[in-house]
Amino acid sequence: MNEQLHSEEAAQALTEIRQRQQQVIDLAVLPTWYWWAIGALTVVLAAGVDTRTPLAIGTTVAVFVLGILAATGWAFAGTLRHAQLRSGLVDRRGVAAILGFVALTVGITLGLAFILRATGVSYPATLAAVVGGLGMCIGGPILMRLLHRIMLANRTGSPR
């Protein structure tokens, strides 16, 4: 009877640990609003660049930098305050997914901007940034779901 009680307690403790691990991983995922904020700030920056006036460029660069800092700080404040992720949760697949997402988003946005500029379209950076921003709004949450699955698979004691 005593041995049965210990195994039940151990099973409950493992379940509790897995639940806590999942809570920490859930906190690490960037919320959808973050991707919309980054996309919108990118469009604001591009609009300033398209105007080609020092005041507009300076203003939009400042708005962009402060906005990125504020959004990132707000998104990460809860995560860092509540728990620290252990290294190893995001493996090669996660790094490749992040780098691939960045390369795809930047590549499409810059390529489109150059094409629009070469064809004489007005506000090429702004239009390309709208496309890139929408890509972030759609792709960012998809990336977060993928990273969430990777982190859950890499947590200690998880079945792989």
Side-chain angles (χ1 to χ4, degrees):
M1 177 76 177
N2 197 16
E3 185 175 312
Q4 177 70 17
L5 185 60
H6 288 300
S7 65
E8 287 176 10
E9 288 174 346
Q12 287 175 339
L14 285 174
T15 299
E16 176 73 18
I17 289 168
R18 291 177 58 77
Q19 289 172 346
R20 298 288 182 185
Q21 288 172 331
Q22 181 158 353
Q23 288 173 342
V24 170
I25 290 168
D26 291 347
L27 285 172
V29 174
L30 290 171
T32 300
W33 67 261
Y34 178 81
W35 299 101
W36 284 89
I38 300 303
L41 288 165
T42 303
V43 173
V44 167
L45 177 63
V49 169
D50 272 339
T51 63
R52 297 185 182 176
T53 64
L55 179 62
I57 293 171
T59 302
T60 57
V61 165
V63 168
F64 178 78
V65 169
L66 293 173
I68 293 287
L69 290 172
T72 303
W74 188 268
F76 282 110
T79 301
L80 297 176
R81 184 175 52 239
H82 290 100
Q84 183 80 24
L85 290 175
R86 73 170 179 82
S87 61
L89 282 177
V90 178
D91 59 13
R92 289 178 286 192
R93 297 171 300 156
V95 172
I98 294 166
L99 293 176
F101 177 70
V102 170
L104 184 66
T105 303
V106 170
I108 288 172
T109 304
L110 285 177
L112 181 58
F114 287 132
I115 290 169
L116 292 173
R117 184 171 184 202
T119 58
V121 173
S122 297
Y123 303 105
T126 304
L127 294 173
V130 167
V131 172
L134 288 173
M136 283 188 262
C137 294
I138 295 166
I142 293 169
L143 174 65
M144 290 298 98
R145 286 193 295 272
L146 174 63
L147 292 175
H148 187 261
R149 283 194 306 270
I150 289 169
M151 287 187 289
L152 285 175
N154 289 337
R155 65 186 172 177
T156 304
S158 69
R160 295 189 185 208

